[in-house]
């Protein structure tokens, strides 16, 4: 028993170390969104122009996932992980230089570089998880991974607010640089790549790198269904999470501090329960996928029932949605990862992550269609959108239920 506990603690430490690599990137966007007004002042641009940073970052991040997933399959994942963190460190240094030069265009270039760095890191993390951890702990691993990332989303607004209150906003990049250096040192010292040597992609033709879509998207039924399901889930959740923070203030008449506390309830529920549901997804991933497809409806119903200042119902909604995400994501990632051959993990999981982020662009387009011409939104718009979200979740559940056999993991997919 003592040996087992030691091994479990070792695995826990290892997945936290792997997860830490992308925390700086996750915190970056959250903290930068807090200082968009200050960015516009520094670079003498309009506020709307400053938001081009997000467009540039997420475009380069999502597209780079398609390319670097395949690169990771051809190279040791630890090496690619460290290269990604190294590029991220350079992007922080260049960001500081762009602020000193007051060059907004140079700043956008640095953020594009940061998006590329995060794509390399995420692709390498997926391959490291597949190579290092046994199949019966993949769900648990993704649970810890989700909890670690949720911790960063929880504390990043606090850290960002503290930095901007007591220092210039550029110190956000100093903080990221220190965190990235710490991640690099931990990864260099503790991540072992010996186990992955036999699973490098043998294909070496250069131009095949630009075959962005994995073959599995056309031939592997289990992987295809996993991709379709995750796109629908993220489309629905992105619609909600893009709108909900502003709706808390506009529709439900809550002040900024109360809204922030409510939003944190979601991250807290993921942090507290992700590990438990990760273990459950290792035991029965199909059940987790089905529950994770239908349970968000309860959270949306709470939002429909809530009236102005109905803090209790709204907190319940955020907790339920957080729990639903914790139930679903570990199982979804596990099934998608183990439905493909180990040597194709980087490219297939890169495409899987790409679908999650690209669904955000589709969600944003849907929101603009539902808004008034001046971009505003009233209660009737919000209510209609919530009903649409419920319909998407119902459709996803029906699709998942009738195709549940395709979410079972078979040994043939575990062979390389």
């Amino acid at each position: 028993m003592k040996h087992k506990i030691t091994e479990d603690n070792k695995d826990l430490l290892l997945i936290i170390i792997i997860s830490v690599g992308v925390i700086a990137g996750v915190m970056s966007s959250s903290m930068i969104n807090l200082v968009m007004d200050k960015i516009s002042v520094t670079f003498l641009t309009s506020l709307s122009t400053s938001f081009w940073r997000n467009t540039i970052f997420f475009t380069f991040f999502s597209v780079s996932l398609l390319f670097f997933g395949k690169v990771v399959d051809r190279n040791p994942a630890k090496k690619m992980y460290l290269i990604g963190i190294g590029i991220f460190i350079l992007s922080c240094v260049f960001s500081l230089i762009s602020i000193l030069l007051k060059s907004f265009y140079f700043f956008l270039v640095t953020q594009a570089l940061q998006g590329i760095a995060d794509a390399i890191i995420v692709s390498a993390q997926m391959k490291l998880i597949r190579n290092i951890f046994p199949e019966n702990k993949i769900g648990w691993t993704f649970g810890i991974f989700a909890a670690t990332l949720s911790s960063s989303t929880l504390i990043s607004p606090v850290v960002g607010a503290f930095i901007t209150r007591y220092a210039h906003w550029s110190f956000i990049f100093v903080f990221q640089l220190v965190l990235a250096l710490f991640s690099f040192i931990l990864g260099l010292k503790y991540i072992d790549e010996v186990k992955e040597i036999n699973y490098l992609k043998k294909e070496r033709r250069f131009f095949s790198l630009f075959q962005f879509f994995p073959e599995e998207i056309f031939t592997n039924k289990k992987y295809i269904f996993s991709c379709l399901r995750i796109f629908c889930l993220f489309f629905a959740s992105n619609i909600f999470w893009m709108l909900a923070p502003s709706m808390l203030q506009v529709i439900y008449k809550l002040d900024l501090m109360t809204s922030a506390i409510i939003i944190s309830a979601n991250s807290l529920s993921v942090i507290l329960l992700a590990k438990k549901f990760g273990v459950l997804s290792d035991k029965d991933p199909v059940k987790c996928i089905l529950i994770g497809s239908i349970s968000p409806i309860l959270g949306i119903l709470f939002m429909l029932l809530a009236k102005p200042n109905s803090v209790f119902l709204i907190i319940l909604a955020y907790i339920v949605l957080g729990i639903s995400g914790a139930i679903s994501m570990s199982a979804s990632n596990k099934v998608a990862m183990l439905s493909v051959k180990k040597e194709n993990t980087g490219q297939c999981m890169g495409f899987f992550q790409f679908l999650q982020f690209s669904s955000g662009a589709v969600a944003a387009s849907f929101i603009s269609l539902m808004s008034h011409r001046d971009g505003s939104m009233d209660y009737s718009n919000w209510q209609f959108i919530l009903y649409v979200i419920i319909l998407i979740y119902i459709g996803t559940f029906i699709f998942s239920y009738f195709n549940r056999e395709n979410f079972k993991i078979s040994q043939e997919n575990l062979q390389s």
Side-chain angles (χ1 to χ4, degrees):
M1 179 63 71
K2 184 176 180 181
H3 175 72
K4 182 178 184 300
I5 293 173
T6 302
E7 279 299 310
D8 285 346
N9 288 338
K10 183 180 177 181
D11 285 344
L12 178 62
L13 177 63
L14 188 55
I15 186 55
I16 290 175
I17 290 171
I18 292 172
S19 304
V20 164
V22 81
I23 281 181
V26 172
M27 294 182 73
S28 174
S29 291
S30 180
M31 291 191 289
I32 286 175
N33 284 335
L34 288 173
V35 297
M36 281 298 180
D37 57 331
K38 299 180 187 301
I39 290 175
S40 65
V41 171
T42 298
F43 294 114
L44 302 176
T45 64
S46 66
L47 185 60
S48 59
T49 302
S50 298
F51 276 95
W52 271 97
R53 180 270 166 191
N54 286 346
T55 304
I56 294 292
F57 173 83
F58 284 109
T59 298
F60 274 83
F61 172 67
S62 56
V63 173
S64 296
L65 282 170
L66 298 175
F67 177 76
F68 285 105
K70 195 155 190 177
V71 174
V72 166
D73 283 333
R74 296 183 176 198
N75 297 277
K78 177 181 178 179
K79 174 184 175 182
M80 296 304 300
Y81 176 82
L82 295 176
I83 288 174
I85 296 177
I87 294 173
F88 186 92
I89 291 170
L90 282 177
S91 76
C92 292
V93 173
F94 291 151
S95 295
L96 291 168
I97 294 173
S98 72
I99 295 168
L100 286 174
L101 297 175
K102 297 187 184 301
S103 172
F104 184 63
Y105 293 111
F106 186 26
F107 178 71
L108 291 181
V109 171
T110 68
Q111 297 309 291
L113 187 64
Q114 192 169 108
I116 292 170
D118 280 346
I120 298 172
I121 295 168
V122 169
S123 298
Q125 285 172 327
M126 296 298 105
K127 193 68 179 286
L128 285 169
I129 289 172
R130 180 75 186 268
N131 289 341
I132 292 174
F133 297 95
E135 282 79 12
N136 63 354
K137 292 188 77 172
I138 293 292
W140 172 86
T141 302
F142 275 115
I144 301 299
F145 188 77
T148 306
L149 296 188
S150 293
S151 300
S152 67
T153 60
L154 183 65
I155 66 173
S156 56
V158 178
V159 174
F162 180 84
I163 289 173
T164 54
R165 181 172 182 177
Y166 295 104
H168 190 267
W169 69 270
S170 60
F171 276 82
I172 286 174
F173 294 105
V174 176
F175 174 80
Q176 291 176 23
L177 188 144
V178 173
L179 188 58
L181 280 171
F182 179 67
S183 303
F184 186 91
I185 293 169
L186 286 178
L188 184 65
K189 185 172 182 180
Y190 293 107
I191 295 176
D192 179 18
E193 65 177 342
V194 173
K195 298 179 183 178
E196 67 175 288
I197 297 301
N198 295 327
Y199 300 107
L200 295 182
K201 188 78 171 178
K202 302 299 189 297
E203 174 63 67
R204 290 288 171 180
R205 289 177 299 169
F206 175 76
F207 288 107
S208 66
L209 284 172
F210 297 94
Q211 181 187 337
F212 292 139
F213 300 103
E215 292 179 8
E216 282 79 357
I217 199 62
F218 305 107
T219 60
N220 186 328
K221 198 172 181 181
K222 293 177 184 288
Y223 180 71
I224 293 168
F225 284 170
S226 291
C227 288
L228 288 172
R229 179 184 171 277
I230 205 67
F231 182 86
C232 292
L233 276 183
F234 266 78
F235 175 55
S237 62
N238 276 322
I239 293 172
F240 180 83
W241 294 118
M242 285 180 180
L243 275 176
S246 57
M247 293 299 101
L248 291 180
Q249 299 170 66
V250 174
I251 303 296
Y252 300 106
K253 309 301 180 186
L254 302 177
D255 60 62
L256 185 60
M257 182 57 70
T258 304
S259 299
I261 292 171
I262 289 173
I263 292 171
S264 68
N266 177 269
S267 296
L268 279 172
S269 60
V270 175
I271 292 168
L272 294 173
L273 297 172
K275 179 181 176 181
K276 180 179 180 64
F277 289 126
V279 172
L280 183 60
S281 70
D282 282 323
K283 295 179 180 177
D284 196 340
V286 176
K287 182 184 290 185
C288 289
I289 281 175
L290 293 176
I291 294 173
S293 299
I294 198 70
S295 57
I297 294 175
L298 180 60
I300 303 300
L301 288 174
F302 284 142
M303 293 299 292
L304 281 168
L305 293 171
K307 304 296 181 185
N309 297 306
S310 300
V311 176
F312 179 71
L313 275 176
I314 297 172
I315 288 177
L316 276 180
Y318 270 72
I319 291 174
V320 168
L321 291 170
I323 292 172
S324 300
I327 293 172
S328 177
M329 288 316 299
S330 294
S332 298
N333 280 299
K334 172 170 181 165
V335 169
M337 179 175 281
L338 297 186
S339 69
V340 301
K341 293 181 179 179
K342 185 172 278 191
E343 64 182 30
N344 298 329
T345 299
Q347 186 182 25
C348 290
M349 290 306 291
F351 182 76
F352 192 70
Q353 300 288 326
F354 167 77
L355 288 175
Q356 298 173 30
F357 284 95
S358 62
S359 69
V362 181
S365 300
F366 173 78
I367 290 169
S368 20
L369 285 174
M370 293 297 103
S371 304
H372 295 302
R373 288 186 178 181
D374 61 357
S376 63
M377 187 168 292
D378 55 30
Y379 180 71
S380 61
N381 297 99
W382 174 237
Q383 193 175 41
F384 177 77
I385 286 172
L386 290 178
Y387 282 124
V388 170
I389 292 173
I390 288 175
L391 287 175
I392 295 171
Y393 281 129
I394 290 174
T396 305
F397 173 77
I398 293 171
F399 172 80
S400 301
Y401 180 80
F402 285 104
N403 292 286
R404 59 190 181 278
E405 291 299 316
N406 288 297
F407 297 117
K408 292 181 178 179
I409 299 163
S410 59
Q411 287 300 313
E412 65 187 59
N413 297 112
L414 305 181
Q415 308 299 322
S416 57

